[in-house]
Each structure stands twice: as structure tokens, then as C-alpha cells.
Amino acid sequence: RCVGGRCTPFGCDNQKYSSNQWDKCGICQGDGSRCKVYSGVRQLPSSGSGTMTAVRIPRGARSIHLKGNLTSRRNYIRLETSSGVPLMDGHQLATQRQRIRELFAVGTQITFRRGSSSRSNVLSTAIKPVNEDIYVKIVYSDPGEQQLNWRFYFNPNDEDTTYRWLLVSEPCSVTCGVGHYTQEAACA
């Protein structure tokens, strides 16, 4: 954060110079035990061409990591929201010769890194959870022994937390005459 025109480190507890960090579940100074890691590998078909959904990453997932071992430049990763809105297209990045692309979408920071060879395409997100489902698709026209490794952290028991203002009142200090009445607002 910028404080007085200087970059100042803050911990997850919002304290200046604190070394407290978020765990993979998004808990400040947590131990990673409040969520579960989901991971897998998706192989490309041995023949043909098309688009396949490799994995659906659910709303609320965090610390997402995808690594494509796609040996052909004609195969690439595409990310879409559940409503079909494209977030990132690996083919477009390759043709624009971009090595790193960062964007803020679906409630978190997304970073895509393309290695010097097409084998090492890596996508990761910041610790914040995604606020809608993401579909990771592989577009392929040169199939073979290629794969996508994926991993994310998710707690299916997490519910959206809703906060609201609650007015807390104390009765008037006297029953008749001039007294005082207090009312406070609290976040509940």
C-alpha cells in the first residue's frame, strides 16, 4: 500500500509491517485446514479437433493454478465465465507475443504466463475467491499426448456472508422530563 507516498508492507491483518499472511483458504494466519484442495489432470483426445471443457472452477474457489503442457501452438487454453463471457484466450496472447498478462476479473487478480515454449503455459489467481464459476477450456487442432494440470482450493461449506447495520437503542434515562436517549449503529 502507499502511505505518505511510499510503498509500505501490510499483513493480512491490515497492520503496517505485519508479517501475517493469508493461507490458501483465505484465512489470515490460517493453517490451510478450513478448505480442501481439488486437483486433477485433463488429457487431450488422441485425434480430432475441437473444444473441450477441462474443468469447472466453482464460485468461491481461490488460489487457482493451471499448467498447460500443450506441445502444439495450435492448442491453447481459454477461460470463460458461466455466462459464456471470455476472460482470457491463450491463442490471442500467443499471436500478440505477450509473455505475461494480468487482469482483474471475476473478483480476483488473474495472471497468465506463457513460457518460451508452448509447453509451459501457467495461469494463477490471487488469494481472493472468484465470484462466479469459471470454465477452463482447451481448444485443440493438433491432439496428442498433451495435458492440463489444475488445482484450486475450495470450501463447499462456505456461505456468502452478508453484513447489515443494526441499530442498538438504550431506553431514555428518565421516564418523565428531560433525559437522554442513545442509539448506536453496529455492523452485524
Side-chain angles (χ1 to χ4, degrees), residues 118-188:
S118 59
R119 288 180 163 267
S120 54
N121 294 314
V122 176
L123 179 128
S124 59
T125 67
I127 194 69
K128 288 187 175 184
V130 294
N131 60 17
E132 69 177 285
D133 291 356
I134 297 175
Y135 288 85
V136 180
K137 298 188 175 191
I138 301 174
V139 180
Y140 61 96
S141 57
D142 190 6
E145 292 191 30
Q146 301 171 64
Q147 64 188 27
L148 174 75
N149 297 288
W150 54 270
R151 180 183 71 233
F152 61 86
Y153 293 81
F154 181 66
N155 184 350
N157 299 321
D158 273 354
E159 294 182 16
D160 290 336
T161 304
T162 304
Y163 298 96
R164 60 186 173 87
W165 286 105
L166 177 66
L167 293 177
V168 179
S169 302
E170 292 182 6
C172 189
S173 61
V174 295
T175 56
C176 183
V178 179
H180 65 275
Y181 171 81
T182 58
Q183 188 173 37
E184 294 180 358
C187 183

Side-chain angles (χ1 to χ4, degrees), residues 40-178:
V41 177
R42 186 64 190 250
Q43 301 285 340
L44 259 65
S46 58
S47 63
S49 64
T51 301
M52 65 184 269
T53 299
V55 63
R56 178 186 68 86
I57 299 172
R59 178 178 185 252
R62 58 179 73 237
S63 303
I64 301 163
H65 184 81
L66 308 172
K67 184 173 183 187
N69 179 16
L70 307 175
T71 56
S72 171
R73 291 188 183 267
R74 296 180 359 188
N75 302 332
Y76 56 91
I77 299 168
R78 177 187 295 157
L79 299 181
E80 294 179 1
T81 65
S82 54
S83 57
V85 175
L87 297 174
M88 195 267 323
D89 188 318
H91 179 67
Q92 184 181 35
L93 295 176
T95 58
Q96 293 174 354
R97 302 204 186 283
Q98 287 180 289
R99 292 262 181 239
I100 297 176
R101 173 143 187 231
E102 293 185 337
L103 64 132
F104 187 84
V106 294
T108 195
Q109 180 77 29
I110 299 172
T111 303
F112 179 80
R113 287 182 182 81
R114 186 171 58 87
S116 56
S117 71
S118 59
R119 288 180 163 267
S120 54
N121 294 314
V122 176
L123 179 128
S124 59
T125 67
I127 194 69
K128 288 187 175 184
V130 294
N131 60 17
E132 69 177 285
D133 291 356
I134 297 175
Y135 288 85
V136 180
K137 298 188 175 191
I138 301 174
V139 180
Y140 61 96
S141 57
D142 190 6
E145 292 191 30
Q146 301 171 64
Q147 64 188 27
L148 174 75
N149 297 288
W150 54 270
R151 180 183 71 233
F152 61 86
Y153 293 81
F154 181 66
N155 184 350
N157 299 321
D158 273 354
E159 294 182 16
D160 290 336
T161 304
T162 304
Y163 298 96
R164 60 186 173 87
W165 286 105
L166 177 66
L167 293 177
V168 179
S169 302
E170 292 182 6
C172 189
S173 61
V174 295
T175 56
C176 183
V178 179

